[in-house]
Amino acid sequence: MTSPGAEIIVKSLIYNKVKFIFGYPGGAVMPIYDLLFTYKKQIKHILTRHEQGSIHAAQGYARGTGKPGICLSTSGPGSTNIITGLADALIDSTPLLCITGQVSSNLLGSDAFQEVDIIDISRPVTKWNIQITKPDKIFEVIAKGLHIATSGRPGPVLIDITKDAQQKIISKPYKKEVRISKTYKKKNKINKKELQKLIRTIKKAHKPILIIGQGVKLANAENQLKKFAENTRIPVSSTLLGLGILKTKHNLNYGMLGMHGNYQSNILILKSDLILAIGLRFDERVIGNIKKISQKTIIIHLDIENYEINKRIKSTIHLVGNLKDNLTYLSNNFKNKKYVNWLKKINILKNIEKKYIKEKEFIKPKIGITMPEVINYVNLYKNKNCILVTDVGQHQMSAARYFNFTTIKSQITSGGLGTMGFALPAALGAKIGAKRRQVICFVGDGGFQMTLQELGTIMQYEIPIKIIIINNNFLGMVKQWQDFFFNRRFSNTKIYNPNFTEISKAYNIKSKKVFIKEKLKKNIKKMLKSKDAFLIEILVEKEYNTLPMIPTNKSVAKICF
């Protein structure tokens, strides 16, 4: 049976159980779109309003389901518009397969209309990329790309396919069986000798802490981590992307670590004699100035990626491998040990932050609405299985600190790249992938305007997400830095906004504006109980800062309230 290259592309995605594609059509991918029409019952295409929206939606889908997100765009600006999403996905380990169209192979290098060298452009921000000029390679390359995107430390893969490769007919049958290189196969063996050494080292510690990152989520090892923590009774702190691995109210969960993290979690870094880091990369926003950590502190690092070991902080013991397998072994071979005195000291630190929260965050009857108040009411009325999707800025850090995570895989945000405009398209992608879960999108007035056109996608496909715009008429986090470090010289951070609720109505999405504190609770409840898409704009205090905060490149001891 003969097939054009475009049909092989679509059939190979169907063969690999792809259900959704996020994309935007154009000249260099017209053959693919023509075949998507033929196979529309087997695979659904979601038309976004911008290619950046497509790739962020694919990220949200991937993060919400654990399956690879699929993005399709045309050549030229279509392909360059997904670069931000590729960079975001690479640093946050999100599995993506991005297919870009390209001019015909005889035109390559001729500066043809909408020709760009997307392979060289995307090389630094992809786990793997390749250009296809012959249709007989398509099935094998897509299978390999999906495997690479989802194996080991996940990441984005880009496949650039020339237009003539989409149009040419293959006269001989193509092979569906693809041999994947051993380089990308999962390593199942665990090193019991090293794990036993690790157990002996932990047992000698008097003040250990456990720091968990997104690697635990990516390994689907949340239950194994919980069992290990409960067996050892070691206090747990989380990175931003590690939130939700343990329930917020778990008695061993001491909150988020880092620049805007919880007081007790940050101080633990300086007071502990052993740090067990699992599935994280010791980002500077997480650990602060590493020179201030005692040289006597034992550092144990577990990760899937050898590249992350000793990259920023030298480990005493490290173990590279599958976290689920290693945590299973640790959980089954570590007998209970109690750190009663150590936990008492930590709880004293926790009470210091509780006093701060009570005095400065929620008890403010004479002023306007604050971000923690908004989150507090969301906690009251949200579904237990909800997914929180946040954009980047003050609202992101407030949500990370105060949102009550009750279910695993319940948080999606742009961590390493800090991409404003991420939340709205990511939220719609998450809802498409996890349609039975409530999806709440937290976004600032600045970030919302970067991708607000995706309200059109929400309208077209009737995606019932809940959108909360935190509006302070400022680029809040930049303003906060200007407040702290630039003598309150608020250069180009005041932002004049449109009427967001009227824009929402133009897209046939229910909306409400709230600026009176007494009406906040009622309207948040109304939004979260709605079965339809709903946008609520909340005008919050302009002078609010997200605290505590650790200045850049300072020790966690310099945390300020």
Side-chain angles (χ1 to χ4, degrees), residues 251-293:
N251 62 358
L252 287 171
N253 189 348
Y254 286 88
M256 184 176 73
L257 187 70
M259 180 173 283
H260 292 283
N262 297 90
Y263 178 74
Q264 64 276 4
S265 285
N266 282 309
I267 297 302
L268 289 181
I269 292 292
L270 300 179
K271 293 185 176 292
S272 66
D273 59 2
L274 182 144
I275 297 172
L276 175 55
I278 302 180
L280 58 109
R281 54 192 178 84
F282 287 111
D283 179 81
E284 82 284 354
R285 287 279 178 115
V286 169
I287 209 75
N289 189 334
I290 58 175
K291 293 180 180 179
K292 301 299 180 181
I293 297 174

Side-chain angles (χ1 to χ4, degrees), residues 313-329:
I313 188 168
K314 186 171 177 58
S315 56
T316 312
I317 302 173
H318 64 262
L319 195 60
V320 176
N322 183 277
L323 293 182
K324 190 171 186 176
D325 296 339
N326 286 326
L327 281 169
T328 298
Y329 183 89

Side-chain angles (χ1 to χ4, degrees), residues 509-534:
I509 295 172
K510 294 178 182 178
S511 63
K512 186 72 177 179
K513 187 191 296 282
V514 180
F515 51 89
I516 298 172
K517 188 188 288 276
E518 289 71 24
K519 294 184 178 182
L520 179 63
K521 181 178 179 180
K522 173 185 174 182
N523 283 289
I524 285 179
K525 181 179 180 180
K526 180 182 178 181
M527 175 198 64
L528 292 178
K529 298 300 179 183
S530 172
K531 293 182 180 180
D532 303 313
F534 202 117

Side-chain angles (χ1 to χ4, degrees), residues 151-152 181-191 304 320-323 325-326:
S151 64
S181 169
K182 291 181 180 180
T183 306
Y184 301 107
K185 288 185 178 179
K186 177 184 173 183
K187 297 177 178 65
N188 291 313
K189 292 183 179 179
I190 59 172
N191 191 327
I304 190 70
V320 176
N322 183 277
L323 293 182
D325 296 339
N326 286 326

Side-chain angles (χ1 to χ4, degrees), residues 5 16 45 162 177 180 292 301 316 336 343 354 380 399 406 408 424 442 491 507 528 552:
N16 285 285
H45 180 276
T162 59
E177 293 75 21
I180 303 299
K292 301 299 180 181
H301 192 183
T316 312
N336 191 11
L343 291 174
K354 281 184 179 179
L380 283 177
T406 55
I408 62 172
L424 188 64
F442 261 79
S491 173
Y507 284 100
L528 292 178
T552 303

Side-chain angles (χ1 to χ4, degrees), residues 24-34 51 73-78 100-104 113-114 161-164 166-167:
Y24 202 95
V29 285
M30 289 300 292
I32 302 174
Y33 273 88
D34 184 59
E51 290 89 359
S73 64
T74 191
S75 63
T100 56
Q102 184 56 274
V103 300
S104 292
F113 177 67
Q114 291 192 333
I161 308 177
T162 59
K163 193 169 184 178
D164 56 320
Q166 300 169 38
Q167 295 170 320

Side-chain angles (χ1 to χ4, degrees), residues 8 131-143 170:
I8 299 172
Q131 186 176 79
I132 299 176
T133 59
K134 296 180 179 180
D136 58 340
K137 298 291 185 183
I138 290 173
F139 195 92
E140 178 183 353
V141 168
I142 287 178
I170 293 183

Side-chain angles (χ1 to χ4, degrees), residues 362 369-379 442 468 470 520 524 538 540:
F362 295 108
I369 300 167
T370 63
M371 295 182 199
E373 286 177 312
V374 175
I375 299 156
N376 193 39
Y377 287 130
V378 170
N379 285 333
F442 261 79
I468 302 174
I470 304 295
L520 179 63
I524 285 179
I538 302 173
V540 298

